[in-house]
Amino acid sequence: MNICSLKLRNFRNYDMAECVFRPNSICILEGKNAQGKTNLIESIYYLSHLRSFRTPSSSSLILENQDFFMIQAQIESHQRKEELKIVSMDHEKHLYRLNDPIRRYSDFIGIVNAVLFCPDDLMLFQQSPKIRRRFIDMELIKISKRYTSTLNHYQKMLKERNSILKREKVDPVLLETMTEQMIQDQIIILKQRVSFLEDLMEKTRAFYSYFTKEKEEVGARYQTFVSMDDLETNLRNAYKKSEMRDKLYKQTHIGIHKDDIDFHMNGISVKEVASQGQKRSFVLSMKLALCQIIYEKQKEYPILLLDDVFSELDDHRCQKLISILPKNMQIFITTTGNIEPFWLKDHKAYTIQVENGHLREVKK
């Protein structure tokens, strides 16, 4: 997958910008701090996820004194080119594919498949379980339509079940119906989450070995409220056991919306033992593993976005990272200028200078 061209209007510090990118190449976005390098990465991420990785509010992405922003791109996937456009205004997103409106966000997310590494990703291990669940969900949503529809249905059923529990008199038949639908949804969601995590960690371990001379064993455990053996029976028993408490407190106390992931190193939780360098290597390895999973499922690599990736890596790890990046993947790397040219000798690479919201390709 490639972004062939990108147009921005009123996005962050870009009033009007347009740029053409080369396919299956490394694009170095070079410039001083606060010039718009990360903003450009953010616009590509937004095309993929319909959300920012820096703020929950789309309105805060609009250039000061303007009332909308636009992101427009020509993309290439499986040798087919098409136009995508997002216009955000009045707290609403207007989505277009080949100039035709798209009504449902789920039909737009994943058309552009982008994987991001940014410094805030190191907080994955310390943040709330919700963030770790979202980490898995966002990737599964992009590669599995069944997962997307099942997760959406489960969230709807959970909301309705909680609404039933809040009534003066709880209808037992209706409660049982909602619970059964949630159980069937969770069987699908749990199996996909666990399978995805196992595949992700197997590939992560292979990549992690490139970044360290030590023999740390990295992995992850999916933590849910039932045993995965005889899953359907265990789910039914768990909801029967929890029903009285749910009625008493008028809310659903168990479910996959409370699950967590324990990332570990040598069997101990990462947040307890890992250094910042080990965390960075772990997250980078997971992002590269994600790219590999997507390639295996979709027969093409996603776009890889590396924001400030070299700031805390030593020269050895920087060179190692570049050396293991696939040659047939489009990659964007932001930097203030600390990339050694010889690191890129085996890749097609070019540099775009970013200065105060203006883009200019430069000769190196």
Side-chain angles (χ1 to χ4, degrees):
M1 171 166 286
N2 292 283
I3 290 188
C4 305
S5 64
L6 182 69
K7 296 178 183 179
L8 301 177
R9 188 170 179 190
N10 300 334
F11 186 86
R12 290 289 194 183
N13 69 327
Y14 292 94
D15 53 356
M16 294 187 70
E18 186 172 351
C19 200
V20 175
F21 303 117
R22 301 178 192 176
N24 304 326
S25 301
I26 296 179
C27 176
I28 307 297
L29 299 170
E30 185 178 283
K32 296 178 181 178
N33 291 327
Q35 299 301 303
K37 303 185 301 295
T38 300
N39 296 344
L40 186 64
I41 291 281
E42 186 178 24
S43 71
I44 298 172
Y45 184 90
Y46 200 97
L47 269 172
S48 178
H49 297 79
L50 287 179
R51 59 186 294 270
S52 165
F53 61 89
R54 301 158 81 189
T55 174
S57 169
S58 292
S59 60
S60 65
L61 304 176
I62 300 173
L63 182 68
E64 189 176 2
N65 297 324
Q66 301 297 324
D67 57 5
F68 78 98
F69 75 73
M70 183 195 75
I71 305 171
Q72 187 172 352
Q74 183 186 66
I75 67 164
E76 180 185 33
S77 178
H78 295 293
Q79 300 181 327
R80 179 173 178 261
K81 291 184 178 180
E82 59 179 319
E83 297 279 347
L84 298 176
K85 184 167 70 172
I86 302 169
V87 179
S88 180
M89 61 188 303
D90 298 327
H91 304 286
E92 291 187 359
K93 300 182 186 76
H94 304 275
L95 312 176
Y96 302 89
R97 185 177 192 179
L98 297 171
N99 291 320
D100 293 326
I102 294 181
R103 305 298 179 191
R104 296 188 304 178
Y105 289 3
S106 60
D107 291 335
F108 194 93
I109 290 174
I111 298 175
V112 175
N113 201 333
V115 172
L116 166 78
F117 169 86
C118 68
D120 286 349
D121 284 338
L122 274 65
M123 294 300 296
L124 176 70
F125 308 113
Q126 273 79 30
Q127 288 174 320
S128 69
K130 179 181 178 180
I131 302 301
R132 288 184 285 278
R133 290 195 303 271
R134 184 190 295 165
F135 169 71
I136 282 189
D137 286 342
M138 288 306 300
E139 299 309 322
L140 280 169
I141 283 169
K142 289 188 294 182
I143 60 179
S144 172
K145 293 295 184 184
R146 187 187 188 198
Y147 186 86
T148 305
S149 60
T150 305
L151 183 61
N152 286 340
H153 186 260
Y154 171 80
Q155 291 168 342
K156 181 182 176 183
M157 293 300 101
L158 175 62
K159 187 176 180 180
E160 291 188 12
R161 188 177 191 272
N162 285 336
S163 178
I164 292 167
L165 290 168
K166 286 179 171 63
R167 295 177 186 174
E168 189 74 28
K169 186 176 181 181
V170 175
D171 184 333
V173 175
L174 192 55
L175 182 65
E176 184 179 354
T177 300
M178 292 296 105
T179 304
E180 181 60 30
Q181 290 187 54
M182 286 172 62
I183 287 170
Q184 297 305 318
D185 287 342
Q186 286 175 105
I187 292 170
I188 296 168
I189 292 166
L190 280 168
K191 286 181 177 179
Q192 287 210 39
R193 281 182 178 177
V194 170
S195 175
F196 175 82
L197 190 62
E198 288 174 350
D199 192 13
L200 179 67
M201 285 302 107
E202 181 181 350
K203 291 176 171 60
T204 296
R205 282 187 283 272
F207 282 113
Y208 188 83
S209 65
Y210 285 96
F211 292 107
T212 179
K213 297 175 183 177
E214 305 299 327
K215 293 185 177 180
E216 300 121 0
E217 182 73 17
V218 297
R221 304 180 190 93
Y222 188 82
Q223 298 177 329
T224 190
F225 63 107
V226 290
S227 168
M228 293 295 292
D229 299 324
D230 196 4
L231 185 54
E232 188 166 353
T233 299
N234 291 337
L235 284 166
R236 286 207 178 94
N237 290 339
Y239 276 99
K240 285 178 184 176
K241 187 177 179 180
S242 182
E243 185 175 316
M244 186 173 294
R245 183 172 60 153
D246 291 352
K247 288 178 178 178
L248 179 63
Y249 292 99
K250 301 184 181 300
Q251 65 174 344
T252 303
H253 284 82
I254 58 173
I256 52 95
H257 58 288
K258 293 179 177 288
D259 287 355
D260 198 1
I261 303 161
D262 175 35
F263 294 100
H264 56 83
M265 185 174 291
N266 295 331
I268 305 173
S269 180
V270 166
K271 62 184 178 182
E272 295 179 15
V273 298
S275 68
Q276 285 297 100
Q278 288 171 323
K279 290 175 184 175
R280 183 173 287 258
S281 296
F282 197 161
V283 173
L284 269 172
S285 299
M286 280 198 290
K287 299 302 176 124
L288 294 171
L290 278 174
C291 293
Q292 192 61 38
I293 289 173
I294 292 167
Y295 178 79
E296 291 174 3
K297 291 186 179 297
Q298 301 190 343
K299 308 308 177 189
E300 67 174 5
Y301 280 110
I303 298 161
L304 181 60
L305 310 172
L306 300 175
D307 185 34
D308 197 24
V309 69
F310 296 129
S311 62
E312 294 184 25
L313 291 178
D314 58 33
D315 284 359
H316 171 74
R317 285 182 172 84
C318 289
Q319 191 172 354
K320 276 288 187 182
L321 172 59
I322 294 291
S323 70
I324 60 177
L325 293 175
K327 305 293 189 296
N328 54 338
M329 178 164 64
Q330 190 178 46
I331 302 162
F332 293 84
I333 302 176
T334 68
T335 179
T336 55
N338 56 341
I339 295 182
E340 297 292 342
F342 71 88
W343 296 349
L344 302 166
K345 60 184 175 62
D346 296 325
H347 287 267
K348 295 181 290 182
Y350 62 105
T351 299
I352 290 178
Q353 191 73 33
V354 183
E355 185 174 357
N356 196 26
H358 297 282
L359 308 172
R360 178 176 61 90
E361 186 173 339
V362 296
K363 300 284 186 181
K364 287 282 186 176

